Amino acid sequence: MADAAIKEKSQSIAPEAEQELTDGFNLIIEALKLNGLTEIYGVPGIPITDFGRMAQASGIRVLSFRHEQNAGYAAAIAGFLTKKPGICLTVSAPGFLNGLTALAHANTNCFPMILISGSSEREIVDLQQGDYEEMDQLAVAKPLCKAAFRILHAQDIGIGIARAIRAAVSGRPGGVYLDLPAKLFGQVLSAEEGRKSLVKVIDPAPAQIPAPAAVKRAVELLKGAKRPLIILGKGAAYSQADDALRSLIEKTGIPFLPMSMAKGILPDTHPQCAGAARSTVLKDSDVVMLIGARLNWLLSHGKGKAWGEPHSKKFIQIDIEPREMDSNVEIAAPVVGDIGSSVAALLTEMGGSPPKAPADWVAAVSKKREENIAKMAPRLMNNNVPMDYHGALGVLRTIIKERPDAILVNEGANALDLTRGIIDMYQPRKRLDVGTWGVMGIGMGYSIGAAIETGKPVLAIEGDSAFGFSGMEIETICRYNLPVCVVIFNNDGIYRGTDVNPLGNDPATTVFVKGARYDKMIEAFGGVGVNATTPDELKRAVNAAMDSGKPTLINAVIDPAAGSESGRIGNLNPQSKLKKK
Ligand code: OXT
Ligand code: ADP
Ligand code: MG
């Protein structure tokens, strides 16, 4: 409808006494609520301040952050945890751009999320006449997300939000941008017309049943395997098909390797878990079934030395996205479907005689796993002061074992890689980390999103650099009094705190203020700050925080020399042959 027509229509509406009215503000709120979207993560400002107030007054939980990127990460992880799109709300141009990184991150990680941004006057933006926060946001967002929509008329709010929801959660989940120009919010129409325009999305993520022939092909391949392996990715965690996955794995006896955020679908301590024999199973397996995991950089693209080439292997891949098949190497048995339906179909096809993993292979994997675990065990009990990563993680590992329903958020380089290897997970969707992009900055946003969505206590293990990307949100954590305990592995810098600038003027590029006391920061907002210099102090402080549920920040003092460049992925750094020594 043209603007003039809308104006005419609103003028022709009978006086309020005679006719009930609604407007854009209210319709957006009602459309979200109708679809069960009851949390919004954002930062207020023109043109969405009043919308936030009204949404809050209507019973939607509106969480106000200090920076949109962190609100966006909260929304992204809400999507992963709930299978509903997480909602991030921002102002125009700069706020939108701040949220966009998180939207792109959600898209890359296949998390459903909707970034809703207010925007400026189309007529002025399109003529580039210099409006307040002028930007063609729709065009900017498009290449970075799964779908992008703009709603111009209040009558279209219902359908626009329905489209955004369906785009985010159906098929491969992802990020959606929804552009709401300032003018939309105030548009008035009759309440009756408004009500009729709302859309409840029926079956937003329909089951995708795999083709019977594809299922048969996969089972045949598994039957012939001598050294089968199942790799579980975060798509498997997202699918919430926990029982079916357990059944498949236990019935076949096949060793499974969880990717980072798939840890805990089955416990890391499960006898078939091959997490501690990673190199061995990648190299020696002959048939590999990928379930919700892509053959990207995190799996060395399915080829090369890590995969034992030149010896060849065959892949089965279960994924909802058909184009994922053959992305890096040939997939011998593609199974395109949602994981719940696909695993159920595999189990049915196997019937009473599932393919069994040969005993010699299972024994070889167990042996390697036990060797690696035994090698690591003494290091986890060290009492070194200053602490090293192993000593500190040894105590945190026990804390998660005793509190398996706590959520572990994790970022950094050494702080990430060593935590992933050392801390066993026992339940699905409890480990939340940097994901496909290895992005620093998810820490506080994820912690807030996870605490709000699950009501569970959160333990965030953060490198000191990683924490800096979202550190101001400790005020948000204190403001909402969330049960979040942040442990900062403070080694005075990025990877290590020992670099020296040979010129001696400025500090080296990777080091921070020596002996910084991050614990003091949270005290400014009424939270609990603790400086922990020994494993025992660390243990006591974390246990106290998890017991009390009080926002806590623990500065865990780590030996600045303990880490290695880029943690476990130092090989990705380009080297200069000409570098002066
Ligand atoms: O089988 P083998 O023998 O190989 O052994 C393996 C397992 O079998 C075994 N294992 C075990 N043994 C015993 N017991 C148990 N329970 C056990 N479990 C496993 O251990 C080994 C290793 O196992 P793993 O880890 O599974 O295997 P591997 O080979 O490492 O796996 C490969 C990968 C690729 C899958 C894995 O390494 C992985 O997932 N890596 C993810 C890495 C990642 O994403 N890193 C983050 C990015 S790094 C860098 O980019 C950083 N930046 C730049 C930057 C970024 N990222 N973002 C933005 C917005 N701006 C800038 C920055 C600034 S990191 C960073 C900050 C760093 O400083 P901090 O202060 O924050 O952190 P510190 O380093 O602590 O100082
Ligand atoms: P990881 O990093 O843990 O290996 P990835 O993010 O690479 O995991 O892969 C996740 C995969 O899971 C994506 O290819 C995505 O299409 C797929 N996926 C997500 N949800 C589902 C689902 N419900 N059913 C099937 N596949 C899914
Ligand atoms: Mg560090």
Side-chain angles (χ1 to χ4, degrees), residues 464 489 491 493:
D464 50 341
F489 277 6
N491 64 347

Side-chain angles (χ1 to χ4, degrees), residues 407-469:
I407 297 212
L408 179 66
V409 170
N410 186 206
E411 60 177 336
N414 296 281
L416 172 84
D417 291 338
L418 291 163
T419 303
R420 183 181 61 244
I422 291 170
I423 297 196
D424 289 327
M425 304 307 298
Y426 300 87
Q427 295 179 10
R429 296 169 294 283
K430 297 296 185 188
R431 187 186 151 81
L432 310 175
D433 69 24
V434 297
T436 305
W437 268 348
V439 64
M440 297 300 109
I442 49 90
M444 298 306 102
Y446 271 23
S447 297
I448 294 167
I452 294 288
E453 299 292 335
T454 69
K456 303 283 182 206
V458 175
L459 175 63
I461 302 181
E462 301 271 309
D464 50 341
S465 163
F467 172 73
F469 288 73

Side-chain angles (χ1 to χ4, degrees), residues 369-378:
R369 184 187 65 221
E370 295 313 320
E371 278 169 15
N372 270 351
I373 290 175
K375 224 187 291 168
M376 190 189 281

Side-chain angles (χ1 to χ4, degrees), residues 243-254:
D243 293 343
L245 288 165
R246 178 184 275 271
S247 200
L248 176 74
I249 286 168
E250 292 187 340
K251 279 196 173 136
T252 57
I254 297 174

Side-chain angles (χ1 to χ4, degrees), residues 162-404:
R163 249 171 115 51
I165 293 171
R166 204 174 270 287
V169 296
S170 62
R172 170 182 276 175
V176 173
Y177 174 61
L178 190 59
D179 194 88
L180 303 185
K183 263 191 204 164
L184 177 77
F185 292 89
Q187 283 178 22
V188 173
L189 70 163
S190 87
E192 171 67 10
E193 191 187 350
R195 253 191 306 277
K196 283 192 187 145
S197 71
L198 295 183
V199 176
K200 180 161 170 57
V201 183
I202 311 295
D203 195 13
Q208 299 204 7
I209 315 290
V215 173
K216 222 182 181 80
R217 194 185 293 122
V219 172
E220 285 308 311
L221 200 51
L222 272 185
K223 277 188 179 153
K226 295 196 170 58
R227 295 178 306 281
L229 172 68
I230 290 175
I231 298 183
L232 299 174
K234 58 173 118 66
Y238 174 80
S239 76
Q240 299 192 11
D242 308 335
D243 293 343
L245 288 165
R246 178 184 275 271
S247 200
L248 176 74
I249 286 168
E250 292 187 340
K251 279 196 173 136
T252 57
I254 297 174
F256 69 93
L257 178 68
M259 299 299 287
S260 191
M261 283 177 60
K263 279 164 73 85
I265 296 177
L266 279 85
D268 285 333
T269 49
H270 190 285
Q272 287 167 251
C273 181
R278 187 177 195 272
S279 301
T280 302
V281 290
L282 291 188
K283 192 158 49 64
D284 295 344
S285 52
D286 64 346
V287 173
V288 179
M289 178 152 69
L290 299 153
I291 306 184
R294 287 170 285 188
L295 283 175
N296 56 15
W297 72 282
L298 291 157
L299 281 169
S300 310
H301 304 282
K303 55 195 169 195
K305 228 171 81 197
W307 288 90
E309 278 182 2
H311 134 86
S312 71
K313 60 188 82 211
K314 296 215 176 302
F315 288 99
I316 302 165
Q317 184 161 25
I318 303 180
D319 206 291
I320 203 158
E321 173 58 60
R323 285 182 307 171
E324 191 54 42
M325 307 298 158
D326 308 324
S327 62
N328 284 268
V329 294
E330 180 185 285
I331 302 299
V335 179
V336 176
D338 74 89
I339 288 167
S341 305
S342 302
V343 174
L346 285 173
L347 285 165
T348 306
E349 176 66 26
M350 289 171 183
S353 54
K356 288 277 184 193
D360 55 343
W361 167 240
V362 173
V365 176
S366 296
K367 182 165 172 282
K368 184 69 197 172
R369 184 187 65 221
E370 295 313 320
E371 278 169 15
N372 270 351
I373 290 175
K375 224 187 291 168
M376 190 189 281
R379 299 188 66 187
L380 301 179
M381 291 186 301
N382 87 61
N383 254 323
N384 295 342
V385 177
M387 290 185 278
D388 61 22
Y389 290 91
H390 286 83
L393 284 166
V395 299
L396 298 180
R397 177 183 205 251
T398 307
I399 288 172
I400 290 292
K401 187 176 179 187
E402 291 165 354
R403 303 170 191 268

Side-chain angles (χ1 to χ4, degrees), residues 511-526:
V511 302
F512 298 151
V513 168
K514 306 268 176 220
R517 289 287 301 274
Y518 291 95
D519 51 309
K520 300 273 183 205
M521 289 173 65
I522 200 165
E523 289 174 359
F525 307 113

